[in-house]
Amino acid sequence: MSLDYKAGSVVFEKVSKHFGNVTAIDDISFTIEPGQLVTLLGPSGCGKTTTLRMIAGLEHPSEGRILIGDKDVTNLPATDRDVSMVFQSYALFPHMSVAENVAYGLTVSGTRKSEAIEKALEGLNLVGLADYGKRLPSELSGGQQQRVAVARALVLEPEVLLLDEPLSNLDAKLRRHVREEIRDLQQQLGLTAVYVTHDQEEALAVSDQIIVMNKSVIAQQGTPRELYELPASAFIADFIGDANLIVGELEKRDGGLASINVGGVEVKVPHREQTQGQVTLAVRPDAVILHQDAGATALAGEVTHASYLGNQIQYTIASELGELFVIDYRVDQPMVKGSSIALDFNARGLALVAA
Ligand SMILES: Nc1ncnc2c1ncn2[C@@H]1O[C@H](COP(=O)(O)OP(=O)(O)O)[C@@H](O)[C@H]1O
Ligand SMILES: [Mg+2]
């Protein structure tokens, strides 16, 4: 194999980016380790694309430093960086064959034609399109065009591969398939990849680390499991998966666990820094346990909506903690709308968050 990858790290040190008087990025710092797939996740307008474009060298920071592979690239233009980008729109040339599209970046950067074609074929082989080199992009499906765009980025042997919402033009079923392919390739080649999405499920599925952004800053960085199980804030709890936010009273701490009184029911969760008094808990919809027997716990509720979805029943429960959204996988034990029930909680789906 002639394609050869040296995965680079990416470091942002106190980076800000202003466009006129709009602050797109406000003093962010993070480190991406070589060989990792890190996702920038957040709502539209939070600064994901701007961050990616600064890694690419298509935008330059107003303040701060950027290092790629330990080299300060803050002021280097895009052409002098070892990164390549896969765009949401694919951006293939319609009049060039698939192989010519993939080879294009190489020939522009001075690679001999024969070597460029050889690498292009290897790139197409990596994405499972070895037999499609002679076709035009218009003769491929959307998913295949996206794979051509990935091959075109890979043949440049980037230290860092950048992907900006690469699946957003694909339909839902295909999206899952292509995201698995991208993840497999990244792991197989040991690439450093920075992946932008606004879709939390996609981020959970593909990432080693997720950097959640909100309003130009980093809200939390961690593994998918850390973000889901130990969300630092109500924003993260609600953005990564669904969460009910409820208020409880922290009564005592025992080792790493806090005992919290939630409407008369005691729960134990990792305590973070809170010591006592009122606290906010994020409660996953499937962490609320419903009991048909209304007196089973100290916490009463009433079923106000019930929707059967085949593998689960989704309930809305009115309770003294407020309205709760509950998912129950015991579809053989439905709770009837209007009935009085009792509630408690499964500790696995609870986390203390900053209010
Ligand atoms: N070239 C630009 N000129 C002015 N404002 C911009 C420019 N690029 C981005 N912005 C603004 O910066 C903010 C972040 O944008 P962007 O990085 O595209 O967000 P995201 O990719 O998370 O949706 C937005 O408020 C956007 O309007
Ligand atoms: Mg964007």
Side-chain angles (χ1 to χ4, degrees), residues 248-263:
E249 193 76 16
L250 198 161
E251 292 183 328
K252 62 176 195 287
R253 277 164 49 162
D254 182 12
L257 292 181
S259 297
I260 297 166
N261 181 331
V262 187

Side-chain angles (χ1 to χ4, degrees), residues 19-20 22-25 42-51 59 164-165 196 216:
F19 293 106
V22 174
T23 298
I25 295 297
S44 180
C46 70
K48 305 179 297 292
T49 295
T50 303
T51 303
E59 300 287 356
D164 192 359
E165 310 245 6
V196 163
S216 315

